[in-house]
Amino acid sequence: MRDQWDRRQFLRQVSATTGALMLSAKRLLASGALAAGKGEELEIQIGTVSPCTVRLSLLPSNNGSLGTIPTNGSLVRESWGAPVATLGGDWRGQVVNAANLRVHVEPSPLTFIIENPNGERIQTLAVDRNTGVVQFETGSSPLLGLGEGGPQFDRRGSVDRMISGQGGYKLKTHGGRVPIPWIIGTSGWAIFFHQPFGTFDFSGAQSRFVPETDTGSLPLDLFFVASSDPATIMSEYARLTGHAEMPPLWSFGYQQSHRTLASREEILEEANTFRRKKLPCDTLIYLGTGFCPSGWNTENGSFVWNSRAFPDPKEMLDRFHEKNFRAVLHAVILSDKLRGTVHDHCDASRFDEEAASCSWDMHRKDFAMGVDGWWPDEGDPLDIASRLVRNRMYWDGPQLDRPNERPYALHRNGYAGMQRYASFLWSGDVYSTWETLKTQVPIAINTGLTGIPYWGTDIGGFVPTPEFTAELYLRWFQFGAFCTLFRSHGRCWKLRLPWGWNTGDPGPIEVRNYDGAAIPDASQLHNPDVEPICRKYLELRYRMLPYLYSAVRECALTGVPVMRALWLHFPDDAAAVARADEYMWGKSLLVAPVVEKAATTRAVYLPRGAWHDFWTGERIEGGRETSRPVDLETMPLYVRAGSLLPLGPVKQYVAEKSDQPLSITVYPGADASFLLYEDDGISFNYRTGEWMGIQMNWNDSRHMLTLRLADGSRMLPPARRDIEVKLAPNGTSRRLTFAGEPVEAKL
């Protein structure tokens, strides 16, 4: 907690808080909630992970034999060296110095008071020795993180059983649940509960973590992070669970999903229409049969092609590739457990459906035809370890046959560490309502704060309702353009096409057996305004790719997500920290999705400092809420003063060549820097130095922009880059050429 306390005040508060936690623990003792492990000896280990992260572990000790901490695949490594302190048997309260933190440990009840080097208390944790229940201070600042879904935005006041899957919490509006026990206290701390799994209760002044009874209360293993810098907190989570891998560049283009396929001709015509209409798109996704009457395969779980829709799959895939589309196929694994890796031996004479090697072998024939990626669905019954095995399988498996090509997979389930496999995640079978759209914004923020950087929703909602109109679809499409996963999918699937709202045809009727589902009114199906507005945001997304891909690389290096809570950049602005309906897109752009029906204005909170309206260039002072007029085609976007925003030319697919220059817009008001990142977008060659970085720096007082080649990078073709530099809002413009040597531009 950041308040500066004098020593006497600090000691009074520690005494009061510890007393409250002790009283609460004594009540637990009196309640008789001690059946599990009663009388068992414990060993307490305090370890150092980094200067700001400590590991607190409680292990059962029977007759001198120490228990072990089970693994589930979430940690990037299992050991961070020997503990700095080990306490067992009869011990007294003491202070343990763990890196830059001081841990006061008291034995009865077992309490950890964690202080910074100045003696200021950060957090107090009390642990019931027998039940493993952990209590800690809820505090007065928002609690964020905890994975995808569940009660939103600030987790305070909620009780979360951390149930994984689409039955976890309010599927219609909140979507599938990917619970991850990483909770961030925005006052300057975070905790990752590695073992065991359990329930969180944030409803009181003292929050409680209650281990699952079937997994046992011990060992207890948690990691405590303390820092006033949000970026450091995120980097520590990446240190624990791994850094995100880089997916292929094409995965950040627009992805169009299909359902209930009528024929080969229809499939090819949809692809042709995108190119004919010049609507940017990179990926065509095909659902499997069983989830719809006629998908790409013969039945749920099958890897045999549906001959009615794909009579000649290899030739059709070749046709897609000729037009620069990628093809992604829906897949399910019918087993409820999965183990091992794709590198294990699979006995062809005895198929083992639980072995990752055997499961992946089923994909390889289709993959060899030219399939570009996979959409592994379902998986709700999988335990934590199995979820991560599946995530890893779709990362390692494709590399068996294409070792220098980055794989793509869109998952519905995962866990802490899934980012190590470049896993995309979507929020499941949500309903097409305004409340759902509104709820998906804070879900995006908390998902990113839990280390899952590649995320999106079914644009428009999966299950259409009477609220599913052209207006709702467009507002969702605008939001989707600023999600890392930009993908349309859902029932009444032809209305998910950018031109679909002006054909009179919603597609096959697939709303039966869904409570509250409905086909949009016929009056909605002849709207000529939808396609041009979709085009506007498609083109903007593709123009934003240089900025977006640079933010993706930053995420992979630092752990800071692309879709960012305002807390990450404005931790000292309480109003910004608490804001759930807007977010930063990279470090420079604030996105405020319109989530109200028939909105003519959008209230936007601009954090402290100056901002520029992206659409008009108007400069606005922040630290306050402003009312932005909106029409149907406008979603408010703001750029921070002191920003450099690179924009590329409009493309029909990410790899399209263009002779148009890169545009760099300078938003003055403060010094600025930006590392523009580029690689081939496909291979792993960037790992060995095959990447280009243009380090851009703006000196606001001199009005001077400097470009230089980033350390460790080299020029990629073409050897000379034409760049147009603009000063916002209506300042001077210059053309320059960058060929690897430093360049200066006075504006």
Side-chain angles (χ1 to χ4, degrees):
M1 299 182 180
R2 280 193 207 93
D3 299 316
Q4 298 296 315
W5 296 32
D6 63 39
R7 187 66 180 169
R8 185 175 300 170
Q9 182 184 16
F10 166 70
L11 290 173
R12 282 200 304 267
Q13 180 62 25
V14 167
S15 176
T17 302
T18 304
L21 289 170
M22 287 182 175
L23 177 59
S24 186
K26 288 175 180 176
R27 286 172 179 163
L28 278 173
L29 290 168
S31 72
L34 299 175
K38 187 170 184 177
E40 195 170 43
E41 291 295 325
L42 296 179
E43 179 172 292
I44 299 166
Q45 296 179 353
I46 302 174
T48 298
V49 174
S50 74
C52 58
T53 300
V54 296
R55 185 178 195 176
L56 307 176
S57 306
L58 276 66
L59 294 88
S61 177
N62 294 311
N63 300 319
S65 177
L66 192 64
T68 59
I69 299 172
T71 61
N72 56 23
S74 60
L75 296 180
V76 73
R77 52 189 284 196
E78 299 304 327
S79 174
W80 276 267
V84 297
T86 300
L87 307 174
D90 186 16
W91 58 276
R92 296 182 179 181
Q94 55 193 275
V95 176
V96 176
N97 291 314
N100 290 340
L101 300 174
R102 294 165 50 181
V103 183
H104 291 253
V105 194
E106 295 294 335
S108 185
L110 180 56
T111 307
F112 302 88
I113 302 171
I114 303 174
E115 302 174 344
N116 67 19
N118 298 323
E120 298 166 330
R121 181 179 54 83
I122 301 167
Q123 182 58 270
T124 301
L125 300 93
V127 183
D128 188 288
R129 289 171 171 266
N130 297 298
T131 65
V133 171
V134 181
Q135 296 190 88
F136 54 95
E137 298 171 55
T138 302
S140 57
S141 300
L143 299 180
L144 305 178
L146 226 61
E148 178 193 63
Q152 297 294 319
F153 160 66
D154 180 356
R155 305 292 189 172
R156 290 179 302 168
S158 69
V159 176
D160 196 329
R161 294 175 58 201
M162 303 288 281
I163 298 173
S164 180
Q166 297 213 133
Y169 183 86
K170 295 185 179 180
L171 174 61
K172 290 183 178 181
T173 51
H174 291 63
R177 184 79 171 96
V178 176
I180 297 177
W182 164 250
I183 187 71
I184 296 172
T186 53
S187 58
W189 57 269
I191 310 174
F192 179 58
F193 289 79
H194 172 226
Q195 291 289 353
F197 200 70
T199 292
F200 286 92
D201 182 349
F202 304 110
S203 60
Q206 304 301 325
S207 292
R208 301 172 75 241
F209 168 78
V210 182
E212 283 184 350
T213 55
D214 59 347
T215 60
S217 61
L218 295 177
L220 174 68
D221 188 41
L222 59 86
F223 295 82
F224 185 89
V225 182
S227 177
S228 59
D229 176 27
T232 297
I233 289 178
M234 296 307 300
S235 71
E236 290 300 293
Y237 183 74
R239 182 195 300 273
L240 297 173
T241 64
H243 286 264
E245 280 281 4
M246 296 276 289
L249 177 59
W250 59 261
S251 63
F252 298 106
Y254 177 64
Q255 302 186 25
Q256 180 64 61
S257 188
H258 298 72
R259 297 179 58 89
T260 308
L261 307 170
S263 65
R264 177 186 194 273
E265 291 68 31
E266 178 192 65
I267 293 168
L268 294 176
E269 179 57 22
E270 299 295 352
N272 291 336
T273 302
F274 272 101
R275 296 296 182 243
R276 186 171 62 252
K277 287 178 170 287
K278 294 191 178 300
L279 292 164
C281 179
D282 266 87
T283 307
L284 304 174
I285 307 178
Y286 297 99
L287 190 66
T289 300
F291 283 73
C292 65
S294 177
W296 76 269
N297 57 6
T298 56
E299 61 182 336
N300 192 21
S302 170
F303 289 86
V304 177
W305 295 81
N306 172 6
S307 60
R308 184 176 72 169
F310 285 89
D312 48 354
K314 178 65 169 66
E315 182 178 339
M316 293 178 70
L317 290 170
D318 290 344
R319 294 275 293 273
F320 292 151
H321 293 154
E322 289 169 3
K323 293 184 176 296
N324 298 287
F325 287 106
R326 304 285 177 164
V328 172
L329 302 183
H330 175 272
V332 295
I333 295 174
L334 301 180
S335 173
D336 289 345
K337 291 190 73 69
L338 205 58
R339 67 179 187 281
T341 75
V342 298
H343 302 289
D344 299 334
H345 174 69
C346 177
D347 187 349
S349 65
R350 189 184 64 83
F351 178 78
D352 184 350
E353 66 176 6
E354 294 186 3
S357 57
C358 294
S359 292
W360 180 253
D361 278 353
M362 297 170 63
H363 298 67
R364 295 180 75 174
K365 183 177 179 181
D366 294 329
F367 193 57
M369 291 184 185
V371 172
D372 298 285
W374 300 93
W375 172 15
D377 200 353
E378 295 197 319
D380 289 2
L382 295 171
D383 60 25
I384 289 170
S386 296
R387 284 176 238 157
L388 289 174
V389 167
R390 186 168 74 157
N391 277 252
R392 181 178 178 181
M393 183 185 79
Y394 280 96
W395 177 250
D396 288 349
Q399 294 182 63
L400 293 176
D401 300 302
R402 304 177 196 171
N404 197 27
E405 183 176 314
R406 296 178 230 169
Y408 170 80
L410 171 59
H411 291 267
R412 200 177 82 185
N413 277 284
Y415 194 67
M418 63 186 291
Q419 71 274 8
R420 301 198 300 267
Y421 313 118
S423 298
F424 279 74
L425 180 72
W426 97 100
S427 61
D429 298 347
V430 296
Y431 274 51
S432 304
T433 68
W434 288 97
E435 181 63 25
T436 303
L437 174 58
K438 180 179 180 180
T439 304
Q440 294 299 297
V441 179
I443 286 174
I445 296 170
N446 273 326
T447 302
L449 287 174
T450 321
I452 304 171
Y454 312 131
W455 178 92
T457 71
D458 288 344
I459 290 177
F462 177 73
V463 179
T465 76
E467 295 184 44
F468 189 41
T469 61
E471 180 192 8
L472 176 60
Y473 183 75
L474 282 172
R475 292 306 191 192
W476 213 312
F477 198 91
Q478 293 161 5
F479 169 53
F482 288 88
C483 294
T484 37
L485 173 67
F486 185 19
R487 164 183 173 267
S488 281
H489 175 69
R491 294 174 182 263
C492 292
W493 78 266
K494 293 201 172 183
L495 297 181
R496 316 310 171 128
L497 297 164
W499 61 88
W501 289 87
N502 197 28
T503 65
D505 178 15
I509 306 305
E510 300 178 331
V511 297
R512 300 179 183 89
N513 303 320
Y514 279 92
D515 178 44
I519 303 167
D521 188 272
S523 64
Q524 286 285 313
L525 305 183
H526 296 280
N527 189 328
D529 296 330
V530 177
E531 183 179 332
I533 296 175
C534 286
R535 180 191 306 279
K536 174 179 178 177
Y537 283 87
L538 284 167
E539 292 182 348
L540 179 59
R541 169 65 167 230
Y542 279 72
R543 292 205 66 203
M544 284 272 182
L545 281 172
Y547 175 79
L548 169 57
Y549 199 52
S550 299
V552 168
R553 182 57 175 163
E554 180 188 0
C555 169
L557 293 173
T558 67
V560 176
V562 177
M563 304 175 73
R564 303 177 181 179
L566 298 188
W567 163 74
L568 280 164
H569 290 286
F570 310 99
D572 296 320
D573 187 333
V577 172
R579 200 75 185 204
D581 62 346
E582 56 191 63
Y583 56 93
M584 296 297 292
W585 175 251
K587 68 177 183 179
S588 299
L589 200 63
L590 185 147
V591 180
V594 178
V595 296
E596 301 291 341
K597 182 179 180 180
T600 56
T601 60
R602 169 59 152 95
V604 181
Y605 180 78
L606 297 176
R608 297 166 188 161
W611 297 81
H612 295 264
D613 187 304
F614 174 80
W615 302 110
T616 67
E618 178 188 4
R619 181 185 170 100
I620 304 170
E621 287 301 318
R624 63 188 179 90
E625 187 174 275
T626 184
S627 180
R628 173 57 158 94
V630 294
D631 54 23
L632 188 57
E633 69 175 272
T634 304
M635 180 178 71
L637 302 171
Y638 291 89
V639 187
R640 295 171 72 176
S643 291
L644 301 171
L645 185 63
L647 297 175
V650 173
K651 295 184 176 184
Q652 297 307 303
Y653 51 93
V654 298
E656 184 179 26
K657 303 300 182 183
S658 174
D659 58 3
Q660 296 300 306
L662 175 75
S663 171
I664 300 172
T665 303
V666 179
Y667 291 86
D671 290 347
S673 65
F674 189 86
L675 177 62
L676 179 64
Y677 176 83
E678 183 181 318
D679 59 31
D680 64 20
I682 292 292
S683 76
F684 293 101
N685 293 344
Y686 66 90
R687 294 175 174 173
T688 56
E690 293 292 315
W691 63 280
M692 184 181 73
I694 301 179
Q695 181 61 56
M696 307 187 297
N697 294 287
W698 168 252
N699 185 303
D700 200 57
S701 62
R702 298 174 56 212
H703 267 223
M704 182 71 73
L705 178 68
T706 303
L707 307 181
R708 66 173 179 84
L709 195 63
D711 295 342
S713 75
R714 69 178 191 85
M715 287 297 294
L716 297 180
R720 298 171 62 84
R721 305 295 181 100
D722 293 327
I723 299 174
E724 182 180 25
V725 180
K726 304 175 184 178
L727 185 66
N730 298 305
T732 56
S733 173
R734 286 191 57 182
R735 294 286 291 264
L736 55 88
T737 298
F738 182 75
E741 297 299 320
V743 175
E744 287 189 341
K746 180 81 172 179
L747 297 176

